[in-house]
Amino acid sequence: MLKRIGKYYSHLCFGLASLLAGVYVFFHLNYLDSIEVTPPPPPGFAEHVAFGTADDWWFAGLLVIGGIVLLSGVLLDSITLRNAGMIIIAPLFGYLAFGFMIRGVFDIRFNLTWVFASLAIALLIGTAMRGGGRRNV
């Protein structure tokens, strides 16, 4: 099992990150609407449209589901589950990167989260391109 975890370490990290992010959002629903997180003035229309759902329960649910599917694929050594998990979380990470970019670049609220979300997207694409098939390394 440890050998399998080592072989699919990137998948494991993405699964854990998705699961933890989803659980965090579940416990902090609508946290972006808080004055401590988003000080006045309120977000503009473009920011709200681009990022308004990142702290909703259904978005958190998709993160949790994607994380569980991906972790299951690693632990059960299932390429189908690993690929399905990557397909579930890729657009979610992309949405976060785009939303935080709108929030950090085109709005008055400076935030580097979009840089890290974009890095996660790049690593996710690299992991997906390497694939998770059974190859001798």
Side-chain angles (χ1 to χ4, degrees):
M1 170 123 72
L2 289 177
K3 185 176 181 181
R4 189 177 330 125
I5 288 173
K7 184 176 181 180
Y8 302 116
Y9 180 74
S10 296
H11 293 84
L12 179 80
C13 290
F14 280 114
L16 286 173
S18 299
L19 182 61
L20 292 173
V23 168
Y24 179 86
V25 173
F26 268 127
F27 284 105
H28 300 90
L29 292 175
N30 298 316
Y31 70 95
L32 292 172
D33 297 333
S34 168
I35 292 175
E36 291 84 23
V37 177
T38 305
F45 178 74
E47 181 182 348
H48 185 69
V49 168
F51 201 59
T53 60
D55 59 357
D56 292 344
W57 66 267
W58 64 268
F59 187 80
L62 290 175
L63 282 170
V64 168
I65 289 169
I68 289 172
V69 170
L70 195 48
L71 290 173
S72 298
V74 171
L75 297 176
L76 300 174
D77 198 15
S78 168
I79 189 171
T80 304
L81 289 175
R82 284 192 307 271
N83 288 343
M86 294 293 275
I87 289 168
I88 293 168
I89 68 168
L92 301 175
F93 276 66
Y95 174 71
L96 287 174
F98 177 73
F100 273 112
M101 183 181 70
I102 295 293
R103 190 177 179 94
V105 174
F106 300 115
D107 199 352
I108 61 170
R109 296 166 187 90
F110 183 74
N111 190 327
L112 286 177
T113 305
W114 68 275
V115 174
F116 296 108
S118 298
L119 176 62
I121 293 290
L123 294 173
L124 192 137
I125 290 169
T127 299
M129 288 178 66
R130 275 195 319 273
R134 298 178 192 268
R135 292 185 280 184
N136 292 332
V137 178

